[in-house]
Amino acid sequence: MAIPHINIHDYNYPLPDERIAKYPLEKRDSSNLLIYNGKIGVQIFREITSQVPSDALMVFNNTKVVPARMHFCKPTGALIEIFALEPVDPIDYNLAFSATEACTWKCLIGNAKKWKDGLLSLYNPSNDPQIASLGLTAELLSREGQSAEIRFKWSCGLPFSAVLDASGTIPIPPYLNRDTENIDLVRYQTTYARHRGSVAAPTAGLHFTPEVLKALEAKGVDIENVCLHVGAGTFLPVKEADVASHHMHRELFTISRDLLQKLIAQLKAGKPVVSVGTTSIRTLESLYYAGVDCIEKGFPEDVKQWAPYDREYQYTTVDALEAIVTYLNANNLEKLSLGTRIIIVPGFKFRIVDILVTNFHQPQSTLLLLISAFVGDVWKDIYRFALENGFRFLSYGDSSILFRAPAQCNPLQ
């Protein structure tokens, strides 16, 4: 095996601006649902229960989007946008959000050329006393391109989570071409979001309502959660023609030992696993390579971008997952927390997920490559049908449920 050389221009399609959903529909579950199970069909999303097998294990990403975009100003008046990506000191999300005086984050900087050094003050053009009372400053510690490590300090005594709530905005996708509005505070968040840390929503989950979830459970579907904090890399375009030159950002995921054991049982019984969203599928499919590390090294390491393609693996999926459980048991751990840079492109061998719920993705994106890997060249027919039948695209757009071709490998072999 070797790193695949794929021309990103082969994964293009015409997407007129008017087909990009700029706002969510009034009701989450009223969006269209495209069904692909060898043929293409259409339902309303709230009817998705009829498409999910009753013996399925359905996995959601319960990360929560944080108001990570902040605006600061220099003494000269120059505006600097800071987009907080992930904590550096303390590195644990919960500890960083609970800090009450200072913390350091990896960030993206807008207008970076105008900030070489010095402290920035929080932008407060209306002299809002609540904003002023935060006493929030930003100090540039190091920089590489537009990415930087920034030390935030504040004097109000509040946890950093509350400081962000007061000073930041929800970073909606740039292709919406508008500022964040009140509706985004609610609708650019899943109803089941629990763990703060994402700078982008796992948008496949935006369609699910409590009623839809209850209907799935009533049918017998086993609903579980992973947590992958979505980074700014989800917005980054593939700039090189050869996908082999594209760099995937690290994203942190967490999965419980209980869910790992359920996945093992599901695979042994030959029952389907449904991933809600591309973040969930990247988490689930990363597990195999973490398990290989546990078999070969005795402990898991961050999953590398090209790990699925750089060699042949002789271990079964069940072997790999059981190795993770053994590692967790030996270290008295209830969950696995790890980073992944995995990229899923045509030629990828899916080892866990059989069915994918997902929105419609941008042309020439890594997410469209993932869709092609999952369903094959028929992605072109699926997207053509969606365009010709009035489907809405991207984060606030319509949804699809895609059934993978027959399993590429038996997880027990």
Side-chain angles (χ1 to χ4, degrees), residues 13 15 32-35 175 203 358-362 368 371 382-383 385-387 391-395 397-402:
Y13 68 92
L15 179 59
N32 283 326
L33 177 70
L34 182 147
I35 304 149
Y175 49 69
T203 54
T358 188
N359 286 13
F360 295 90
H361 304 290
Q362 287 181 292
L368 188 57
I371 299 305
I382 291 170
Y383 274 61
F385 180 93
L387 285 165
F391 277 68
R392 302 159 72 248
F393 277 62
L394 307 187
S395 294
D398 291 318
S399 184
S400 66
I401 182 167
L402 310 175

Side-chain angles (χ1 to χ4, degrees), residues 8-17 19-21 173-177 188 200 203 232-238 246 278 358-372 379 383 387 392-396 398:
I8 193 62
H9 301 303
D10 293 336
Y11 296 84
N12 198 7
Y13 68 92
L15 179 59
D17 184 68
R19 302 306 297 276
I20 299 173
Y175 49 69
L176 296 184
N177 292 317
Y188 196 62
T203 54
T234 191
F235 295 144
L236 294 180
V238 180
H246 182 71
T278 56
T358 188
N359 286 13
F360 295 90
H361 304 290
Q362 287 181 292
Q364 299 187 150
S365 64
T366 58
L367 298 182
L368 188 57
L369 290 171
L370 186 155
I371 299 305
S372 176
W379 77 264
Y383 274 61
L387 285 165
R392 302 159 72 248
F393 277 62
L394 307 187
S395 294
Y396 277 142
D398 291 318

Side-chain angles (χ1 to χ4, degrees), residues 32-271:
N32 283 326
L33 177 70
L34 182 147
I35 304 149
Y36 174 72
N37 54 7
K39 58 183 180 180
I40 297 173
V42 179
Q43 285 183 329
I44 301 300
F45 188 85
R46 68 177 65 95
E47 300 169 334
I48 192 172
T49 306
S50 66
Q51 299 299 321
V52 180
S54 59
D55 60 351
L57 172 60
M58 198 168 193
V59 181
F60 293 75
N61 182 4
N62 64 4
T63 187
K64 190 172 187 178
V65 183
V66 296
R69 180 176 283 130
M70 294 169 281
H71 291 89
F72 289 79
C73 61
K74 296 179 63 176
T76 61
L79 284 181
I80 307 293
E81 181 182 90
I82 296 180
F83 192 169
L85 298 181
E86 60 181 89
V88 174
D89 182 22
I91 197 168
D92 179 83
Y93 277 88
N94 290 330
L95 293 177
F97 285 129
S98 62
T100 55
E101 294 181 356
C103 57
T104 301
W105 283 65
K106 181 180 178 182
C107 302
L108 293 179
I109 306 175
N111 211 6
K113 292 181 180 179
K114 292 191 176 181
W115 186 27
K116 304 296 184 184
D117 53 34
L119 286 179
L120 300 181
S121 300
L122 191 62
Y123 183 54
N124 187 14
S126 61
N127 294 314
D128 184 329
Q130 182 182 5
I131 296 296
S133 70
L134 297 175
L136 180 62
T137 61
E139 178 187 3
L140 182 63
L141 300 183
S142 64
R143 178 163 56 195
E144 183 178 347
Q146 285 191 315
S147 178
E149 286 192 6
I150 293 175
R151 185 73 169 168
F152 297 105
K153 293 184 179 180
W154 59 100
S155 57
C156 60
L158 293 173
F160 189 57
S161 58
V163 172
L164 275 180
D165 287 340
S167 62
T169 57
I170 293 289
I172 60 174
Y175 49 69
L176 296 184
N177 292 317
R178 63 175 177 84
D179 293 332
T180 301
E181 300 178 23
N182 286 337
I183 191 171
D184 302 309
L185 304 182
V186 175
R187 296 298 298 277
Y188 196 62
Q189 200 81 266
T190 63
T191 60
Y192 49 84
R194 293 293 179 270
H195 302 291
R196 300 170 61 100
S198 280
V199 299
T203 54
L206 297 181
H207 308 274
F208 285 87
T209 61
E211 292 75 19
V212 170
L213 293 172
K214 288 178 183 177
L216 287 164
E217 289 179 324
K219 185 176 181 178
V221 176
D222 191 357
I223 290 177
E224 284 285 351
N225 294 289
V226 295
C227 182
L228 179 140
H229 291 315
V230 188
T234 191
F235 295 144
L236 294 180
V238 180
K239 293 182 178 179
E240 303 293 334
D242 187 349
V243 175
S245 300
H246 182 71
H247 174 73
M248 292 289 285
H249 282 233
R250 178 182 185 270
E251 293 173 310
L252 181 69
F253 72 84
T254 302
I255 183 169
S256 70
R257 181 175 57 187
D258 288 346
L259 177 50
L260 285 162
Q261 291 171 328
K262 282 189 175 185
L263 287 168
I264 291 168
Q266 199 79 356
L267 292 172
K268 286 182 175 180
K271 296 178 180 178

